[in-house]
Amino acid sequence: MPKKMMHIGLSAGTIGPYVLLTETPEFCVKIAQYLENPKEIAYNREFRTFSGLLNGTHISVTSTGIGGPSIAIAVEELFQCGAHTMIRVGTCESTSPLVHKGDIVIPNGAISMEGVSSHYIPAEYPPIPDMDLIQTLEEVATTLGHTPKVGVTITSAAYSTRTTPHREEIASSWKNYLHGGALCCEMECAPLFAVGSSIKARVASILISTTHRDQLTTENEDTSSYLDESFIHIALHALKSIIEKDTCETN
Amino acid sequence: MHTSTKLVKHLDLSKEDIGQYVFLPGCVERVELIASHLDNPHFVARKGEFYTFTGELEGVKVSVTSTGIGGPSASIAVEELHQLGAHTMVRIGSCASTSPLAKIGHVMIPCGAVRMEGTGNHYLPLEFPAVPDFGLFKHFKQAAINSSYPFNTGVTITKDSFYTEVSPETKPVYHEITSRWNAYVKSGATNTSMECAPLFLIGATLGIRTASVMICATNNDDYSNDDTDYPRDWEQRAIEVGIEGMRRIIKDDIAKDKIHA
């Protein structure tokens, strides 16, 4: 009897090799509706997992909660259960005049303003996703009529830093990142990329911006409305394409 | 359920929904267990990893809100609860032993936390020590003494990476993190968990009283990520000491005229 993972509550053999990662359990449920025969197979803490079929291939969707610590746990445990390709699907906020509300952003690197990555890779090693995955994500988003932006994201461990940094050093680091052209900010990419490189899982992220640059998300705005059918469509279409390419390569 | 339209973004709560005293478990499953010790507990909201119940202790409103795993989500919970008026926040959780002084079933009340994490840095520089409110710390220590459960008040290592603890040898930075970890243990850390340092530091930054009460889930050098080893049967001890300590704190605040029951 394979052991059940302590946090995600799954064992080897229960999930597909391809997994989409969402921040919230609610968005996980939403994506699952688009799979064939979706079934909830675990729900423990912030980690909710559905499995189903996509063009006949077994895939899973797992929520990871907010932040690096929980996504690192999810990725490690999913990998131990047999996942080799994991793509985070979520929102971000713009930090660049190039990124507008509703734009798709595909990071090709992440700034680590958080504490997980340094437990995996040295500071000078870049937290980066799998290049083939992001190329496919970019191609698919373009085919579906979007103009995805590919660039560096700021991964911050504290949500309030993007609007009201508590320390001068943090405020000036943030300015430097913008000066370097950082496209957006969110809370999970750097750890996701660092863990992926470390354990040799293919990882990437596709994000939708909920703001224009210099415009804050208001308190009562429901940003989950950006995680709509059209965004889910890009993610699933990209996954189909990735699976097809993998199948061609093994044949 | 909400009596006001002004809701905070992630927790989905309004000012009237919560008390000024809040318990912060990491997981949603522990919320109802803690809330069952309150008078008149009732469900308030659930969004993502943030699940809230509110009830009373000593006639005063007390809430329980889960934070999810790690500093980033915990910092969101603490900041938003603070915006809604909470001034006293206590983590109730589990930890693993890093010392022969900490055994399975011990109640752990850390006097400080090692900042092996990335959230604290957004609030205070590294040289600022992550320590709980001393008044709260003393009340929880007394509650532990009264409980007769074995307890320990040593420093906790707050780590952002669970798998750094479980399988450091698989990480590219193995040598670095192992030598840092050994230094923390040699310096006296008795246990490890994942949220104390950011909690204490945000408390210091925003003027919130914070503390932590945890159950030690392992014996020294006995790490596991197998679900069968999760300390489901022991966490009641941490909850009991947490509740008893909070009663002491509230009674003390009433006596000092800080609140009116």
Side-chain angles (χ1 to χ4, degrees), chain B residues 99-112:
Chain B
S99 158
L101 297 174
K103 297 187 170 62
I104 194 167
H106 280 201
V107 176
M108 313 296 285
I109 302 157
C111 61

Side-chain angles (χ1 to χ4, degrees), chain B residues 124-136:
Chain B
L124 288 160
L126 193 62
E127 57 272 24
F128 195 105
V131 294
D133 175 271
F134 194 59
L136 297 193

Side-chain angles (χ1 to χ4, degrees), chain B residues 7 21 25 42 52 76 82 102 162 164 174 176 237 254 259:
Chain B
L7 300 177
Y21 300 82
H42 59 274
T52 301
I76 284 174
H82 170 70
F162 182 81
T164 295
Y174 166 51
E176 263 179 61
R237 290 187 172 188
I254 292 171
I259 44 160

Side-chain angles (χ1 to χ4, degrees), chain A residues 89-105:
Chain A
V89 190
T91 59
C92 63
E93 295 186 32
S94 171
T95 56
S96 163
L98 300 174
V99 175
H100 308 99
K101 224 176 198 184
D103 278 357
I104 301 294
V105 183

Side-chain angles (χ1 to χ4, degrees), chain B residues 119-141:
Chain B
T119 307
N121 203 43
H122 287 246
Y123 294 86
L124 288 160
L126 193 62
E127 57 272 24
F128 195 105
V131 294
D133 175 271
F134 194 59
L136 297 193
F137 171 80
K138 285 187 292 186
H139 280 300
F140 288 112
K141 185 175 160 187

Side-chain angles (χ1 to χ4, degrees), chain B residues 241-253:
Chain B
V241 171
I243 293 281
E244 184 52 36
M246 192 67 101
R247 284 189 193 280
R248 293 177 57 90
I249 290 158
I250 291 171
K251 283 199 272 210
D252 199 26
D253 283 351

